[in-house]
C-alpha cells in the first residue's frame, strides 16, 4: 500500500483489509463517498475518461472492442460484491455483468444487452461426449462440475441445485463409485458451462452436450440512475450492441437487444 493511500486513510478515518483477494474499507465511508460522487459528476459532465469494468463471463465477448474515452478496468471479476460496491460508490462508472444474477436495486439502472442459453460442455473422450440418447440430470452425477465462488451467483446456483449440478454428498459418492474414478485425471471428466459467445474459448478439445440448463443468461450494462439517460451511456450501449451483434451473427439462439431494455429478474 502506498504512502499516499495510508495518508488518505488517515484523513478519512478508515482502515483497509483484504478479503477474497480484494481490498475493502472498514469504517464510516460517508465523507469518502461524497467526494467520490463529486469526482464522478465531474468526469461525466466534463467529458473525462470514464471507467468500465466487466464480469468474467461477459469479458470474453469484449475482446478487441475499441473503447473511445473509456478506460478498461478489471474485466475478470469473479463475483458481484466488489464491482457492485465500486459502482454504487462512484469509483467505476459502468459495469457489465451477467444475467440472471444482475443486481436490481434502487439507485442503479440495468440495461439488458443480450439474452442467450447456457450450454453444458465436456472434454473430448468424456463418457457423455458421444451419447446419442437423451441424457438425464442424474446421468451427470458421477462427474465433477466446474466450481463457482460459493454464494456469488445465487439465482444461477439455484438452477444448478435443481439440476443436481452442485457439489454434494450424493455427487461425491457417485463419483467414487464410477468406473473412471482413480483411473483418469479428474479434469478429463469435468462438466463445464458455456454461452454461445464463449464456445470458441473451449476450442476443439471440448464438445457441447445436447442438454441446456433451464435458464437464460446474458450481458447487462449497469450504471447509476443519475447517468441512465446520459448521452455517453447511450453511446456505450450502442457500441456494445454493435460489437455483440457481430459476435452473435453465427448464433441464432443469441438475442441482441437493439435499444436499452430495463433488466428485470
Amino acid at each position: 500500500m502506498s504512502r499516499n493511500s495510508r495518508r488518505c486513510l488517515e484523513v478519512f478515518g478508515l482502515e483497509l483489509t483484504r478479503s477474497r483477494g480484494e481490498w475493502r474499507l472498514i469504517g464510516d465511508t460517508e465523507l469518502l463517498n461524497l467526494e467520490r460522487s463529486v469526482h464522478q459528476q465531474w468526469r461525466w459532465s466534463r467529458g473525462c475518461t470514464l471507467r468500465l469494468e466487466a464480469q468474467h463471463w461477459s469479458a470474453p465477448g469484449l475482446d478487441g472492442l475499441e473503447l473511445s474515452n473509456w478506460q478498461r478496468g478489471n474485466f475478470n471479476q469473479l463475483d458481484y460484491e466488489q464491482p457492485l460496491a465500486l459502482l454504487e460508490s462512484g469509483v467505476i462508472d459502468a459495469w457489465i455483468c451477467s444475467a440472471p444474477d444482475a443486481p436490481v436495486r434502487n439507485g442503479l439502472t440495468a440495461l439488458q444487452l443480450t439474452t442467450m442459453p447456457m450450454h453444458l460442455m465436456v472434454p473430448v473422450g468424456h463418457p457423455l461426449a458421444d451419447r446419442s440418447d437423451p441424457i438425464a440430470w442424474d446421468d451427470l452425477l458421477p462427474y465433477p462440475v466446474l466450481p463457482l465462488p460459493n454464494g456469488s451467483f445465487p439465482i444461477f446456483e439455484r438452477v444448478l441445485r435443481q439440476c443436481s449440478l452442485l457439489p454434494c454428498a450424493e455427487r461425491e459418492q457417485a463419483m467414487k463409485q464410477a468406473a473412471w474414478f482413480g483411473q483418469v485425471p479428474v479434469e478429463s471428466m469435468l462438466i463445464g458451462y458455456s454461452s454461445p459467445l464463449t464456445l470458441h474459448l473451449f476450442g476443439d478439445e471440448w464438445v457441447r452436450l445436447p442438454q441446456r440448463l433451464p435458464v437464460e443468461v446474458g450481458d447487462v450494462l449497469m450504471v447509476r440512475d443519475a447517468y441512465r439517460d446520459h448521452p455517453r451511456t447511450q453511446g456505450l450501449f450502442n457500441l456494445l450492441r454493435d460489437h455483440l451483434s457481430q459476435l452473435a451473427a453465427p448464433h441464432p439462439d443469441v438475442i441482441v437487444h437493439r435499444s436499452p431494455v430495463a433488466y428485470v429478474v
Side-chain angles (χ1 to χ4, degrees):
M1 187 168 57
S2 71
R3 185 178 304 171
N4 287 337
S5 296
R6 287 194 294 269
R7 176 58 182 156
C8 289
L9 291 173
E10 292 173 3
V11 169
F12 289 104
L14 301 171
E15 296 179 6
L16 271 180
T17 185
R18 199 165 182 84
S19 174
R20 298 174 69 174
E22 299 284 353
W23 288 106
R24 305 184 192 276
L25 291 168
I26 299 176
D28 185 353
T29 60
E30 181 178 4
L31 184 59
L32 177 61
N33 287 339
L34 287 172
E35 183 177 18
R36 287 168 166 173
S37 181
V38 170
H39 287 174
Q40 185 177 51
Q41 186 174 351
W42 174 271
R43 293 195 301 271
W44 282 85
S45 64
R46 299 303 178 96
C48 299
T49 301
L50 301 177
R51 186 177 179 91
L52 173 68
E53 299 205 345
Q55 198 266 343
H56 78 289
W57 278 353
S58 297
L62 304 176
D63 288 342
L65 175 63
E66 292 288 338
L67 288 169
S68 176
N69 213 20
W70 284 87
Q71 176 187 355
R72 284 176 180 261
N74 187 348
F75 270 43
N76 191 34
Q77 298 283 2
L78 295 179
D79 60 33
Y80 286 1
E81 180 182 357
Q82 180 72 354
L84 178 59
L86 295 177
L87 182 66
E88 290 184 313
S89 61
V91 175
I92 64 176
D93 301 291
W95 172 44
I96 302 171
C97 59
S98 302
D101 281 288
V104 176
R105 58 177 65 190
N106 292 335
L108 296 180
T109 293
L111 303 174
Q112 185 103 28
L113 285 159
T114 58
T115 302
M116 64 190 88
M118 181 66 87
H119 301 294
L120 295 176
M121 308 290 295
V122 295
V124 171
H126 193 285
L128 298 176
D130 297 322
R131 284 272 299 267
S132 57
D133 57 318
I135 300 174
W137 293 115
D138 285 348
D139 293 340
L140 306 181
L141 271 177
Y143 307 103
V145 181
L146 185 70
L148 297 174
N150 187 35
S152 296
F153 313 104
I155 298 176
F156 189 70
E157 286 178 32
R158 188 161 63 242
V159 174
L160 296 181
R161 187 173 293 107
Q162 293 169 355
C163 299
S164 301
L165 283 170
L166 285 182
C168 61
E170 187 179 7
R171 166 162 266 104
E172 289 293 327
Q173 184 65 25
M175 286 172 52
K176 291 178 180 179
Q177 294 175 350
W180 65 265
F181 192 77
Q183 306 299 314
V184 296
V186 172
E187 293 77 11
S188 66
M189 294 292 111
L190 191 65
I191 299 174
Y193 319 106
S194 176
S195 74
L197 298 187
T198 55
L199 284 171
H200 66 282
L201 298 178
F202 286 85
D204 297 332
E205 297 180 355
W206 288 69
V207 297
R208 187 176 70 185
L209 295 181
Q211 220 159 353
R212 280 186 184 178
L213 285 174
V215 64
E216 287 187 330
V217 300
D219 305 297
V220 180
L221 175 63
M222 305 279 298
V223 295
R224 294 175 67 183
D225 282 350
Y227 307 107
R228 171 180 52 201
D229 299 321
H230 196 282
R232 293 189 67 180
T233 300
Q234 181 67 60
L236 178 61
F237 181 92
N238 292 343
L239 179 68
L240 294 169
R241 176 202 62 199
D242 293 345
H243 178 76
L244 291 168
S245 293
Q246 294 181 19
L247 296 179
H251 305 286
D253 50 356
V254 177
I255 298 172
V256 179
H257 299 279
R258 306 308 302 173
S259 58
V261 176
Y263 171 77
V264 294
V265 178

